Amino acid sequence: MLSALLLLCVLTLPAQQPVPYFHPGAWEIDSVTTETDGRTVSSQTEICAKEQIDFWKVAQAGLTCKTPKSHLQSNGLVRVRVRCEYKGDRLHSEILSDVVETVSDHGNSFTLEGTSTTNTVYQGVQPKHTSIHLHATAHRTGECQ
């Protein structure tokens, strides 16, 4: 469950700066999270993105995130750092994600690589620290419907 939460956290937040060369439209995103023990979780998401920021705008109950910090690096890559907090009835997690986005194909595709670490406190259980590797590829599939 935490792996899915971490991936959703990274893929559901507003970035501060748009990525250069982004091409609006319908997009398909294939994501893989890999835990330290080698287990992986794959997912596929389709969204309509008018701006690059639209990739980060999905909300989840109990999850609050600070405005992500994004920075266009000199090599054209965009580093995004995200800090979120999840509060459930008996579960509290702090999630820190650090990813790099690479836009390619004249703004029609991108890849995302990075890590997400979570510090979780569950009532009555020893606190837990986990880290996962994030990987996503996305491509534009056409105009939004």
Side-chain angles (χ1 to χ4, degrees), residues 113-135:
E113 291 284 341
T115 59
S116 191
T117 57
T118 304
N119 292 307
T120 301
V121 177
Y122 189 73
Q123 188 176 1
V125 178
Q126 184 82 349
K128 185 174 183 179
H129 175 83
T130 58
S131 181
I132 62 169
H133 175 79
L134 306 167
H135 173 78

Side-chain angles (χ1 to χ4, degrees), residues 84-142:
C84 295
E85 184 176 41
Y86 178 82
K87 287 187 179 181
D89 290 337
R90 297 183 297 184
L91 176 74
H92 177 259
S93 294
E94 290 185 11
I95 305 161
L96 303 172
S97 301
D98 185 3
V99 300
V100 174
E101 298 175 344
T102 305
V103 178
S104 59
D105 190 24
H106 305 286
N108 289 307
S109 63
F110 72 84
T111 59
L112 177 144
E113 291 284 341
T115 59
S116 191
T117 57
T118 304
N119 292 307
T120 301
V121 177
Y122 189 73
Q123 188 176 1
V125 178
Q126 184 82 349
K128 185 174 183 179
H129 175 83
T130 58
S131 181
I132 62 169
H133 175 79
L134 306 167
H135 173 78
T137 58
H139 65 277
R140 187 176 181 277
T141 59

